[in-house]
Amino acid sequence: MSTEPAFVIVTGMSGAGRSTAAKALEDLGWFVIDNLPPGLLFAMAEEAGKVKLAADKVAAVVDVRSLAFTTDLNAAIEELEGRGVRVRVVFLEASDEELVRRFENVRRPHPLQGEGRLVDGITRERGILREVRANADLVIDTSSHNVHDLRNKIVAYFGGEDRPGLRLNIVSFGFKYGLPVDADLVVDCRFLPNPHWVPDLRPMNGLDAPVRDYVLGQPGAKEFLDAYEEVLQVVAAGYAREGKSYATLAVGCTGGKHRSVAMAEQVAARLRDRGMEVQVSHRDVGRE
């Protein structure tokens, strides 16, 4: 295990769950400061002993307060890393439609909408955060998550920070419902025959043995799994060299019910056998 100091910054879209993530980290024993201006990140790290000591479990939640947010945050990260602090940025994301719904439910304006509409504030915030999102170490899309789902995901990612190596989140999905916006890698399983057209298999999903056996028994399925397992080992090693600790692999088929579910489970099982830490979720099962 590395003794290099680490510091987690939680940021992202307003309404995407920053407070929930902060509470989850606190429940895991982290020292968390909420709503910290980027310019005070180094002072907080120094106060927490992050510069001179190899203490862990310290995080700060930062949000957009001005157009200089991105510049201020980048400068703060550069200062921390220049002093030997390993910084990890977690970005919380959600769709415009879901953010609008959440703000309307709590009857609060978006912090950047000013005299405009709610969607204007969301659009403005996305523009400011574009670079931060692109450079984040971990992006979590909370569009389909409730507070319990998000908490579980934070626990899965940060509940074992003392374990080295890449932590991989594998999510199955249906292309007809859109790509997961937090995916680092995307796999398309539509090259395999669709169990939807087999009457006995149609009501089932990829977690059911008959569907799993049907999908894995198709020409090319095993060959693909063998080849992609090797590819992921190369990718994981590269991510490790670049200091990336978390990644999301999205495995898709047409509806996210049969092929993608079965293949996602198989990829996860193979990687676990290689000693990799993997969690699996099935975004679109039951959506029909």
Side-chain angles (χ1 to χ4, degrees):
M1 179 182 65
S2 170
T3 58
E4 180 186 7
F7 188 91
V8 170
I9 296 172
V10 179
T11 188
M13 296 296 294
S14 299
R18 293 189 307 256
S19 296
T20 298
K23 178 60 177 174
L25 288 172
E26 288 178 344
D27 290 344
L28 289 171
W30 285 60
F31 177 73
V32 182
I33 295 292
D34 202 356
N35 295 325
L36 190 72
L40 295 180
L41 285 171
F42 180 77
M44 173 192 169
E46 190 170 37
E47 183 68 20
K50 301 304 296 180
V51 173
K52 297 180 180 179
L53 301 176
D56 59 2
K57 295 188 176 181
V58 177
V61 181
V62 298
D63 60 14
V64 174
R65 294 296 180 184
S66 71
L67 291 174
F69 170 84
T70 301
T71 301
D72 293 344
L73 182 58
N74 287 341
I77 291 174
E78 288 178 4
E79 182 177 17
L80 286 165
E81 292 181 336
R83 300 294 186 96
V85 180
R86 179 168 56 92
V87 180
R88 293 291 175 262
V89 178
V90 177
F91 190 97
L92 299 180
E93 170 72 276
S95 68
D96 287 1
E97 295 78 9
E98 179 60 21
L99 292 175
V100 168
R101 187 189 68 80
R102 292 175 186 178
F103 275 104
E104 289 181 342
N105 282 346
V106 297
R107 299 182 180 181
R108 294 179 58 190
H110 188 280
L112 296 184
Q113 76 179 75
E115 298 298 321
R117 300 177 302 161
L118 182 56
V119 292
D120 297 329
I122 293 172
T123 300
R124 187 183 185 199
E125 186 175 39
R126 283 202 190 281
I128 295 172
L129 291 174
R130 185 174 294 111
E131 182 181 349
V132 176
R133 185 189 187 284
N135 294 324
D137 298 282
L138 173 63
V139 178
I140 300 177
D141 179 15
T142 70
S143 300
S144 60
H145 292 355
N146 58 36
V147 293
H148 305 294
D149 295 332
L150 177 55
R151 184 188 183 283
N152 290 339
K153 183 158 284 191
I154 293 295
V155 169
Y157 280 122
F158 295 102
E161 279 290 281
D162 57 332
R163 295 192 294 268
L166 180 73
R167 283 189 283 281
L168 184 66
N169 174 48
I170 301 178
V171 54
S172 69
F173 74 97
F175 279 96
K176 71 179 183 179
Y177 300 117
L179 288 168
V181 299
D182 52 352
D184 296 290
L185 303 163
V186 178
V187 170
D188 186 351
C189 294
R190 291 176 294 183
F191 69 93
L192 297 169
N194 192 346
H196 174 82
W197 303 115
V198 179
D200 290 343
L201 300 181
R202 184 177 301 179
M204 303 179 188
N205 64 55
L207 296 174
D208 295 311
V211 174
R212 180 194 64 217
D213 295 343
Y214 176 87
V215 171
L216 298 180
Q218 297 303 315
K222 181 179 183 301
E223 292 79 1
F224 173 82
L225 287 168
D226 289 343
Y228 201 65
E229 181 181 355
E230 296 303 320
V231 168
L232 285 176
Q233 294 302 304
V234 176
V235 171
Y239 280 161
R241 288 192 297 271
E242 293 299 312
K244 186 176 179 66
S245 302
Y246 326 100
T248 296
L249 167 63
V251 181
C253 62
T254 303
K257 179 179 179 181
H258 297 113
R259 293 166 291 180
S260 62
V261 174
M263 295 293 274
E265 291 287 341
Q266 287 300 305
V267 172
R270 286 170 173 243
L271 295 179
R272 289 189 185 111
D273 287 343
R274 286 182 176 254
M276 186 177 295
E277 185 176 343
V278 183
Q279 61 173 334
V280 185
S281 61
H282 304 295
R283 190 190 73 176
D284 296 328
V285 169
R287 190 163 181 173
E288 293 183 349

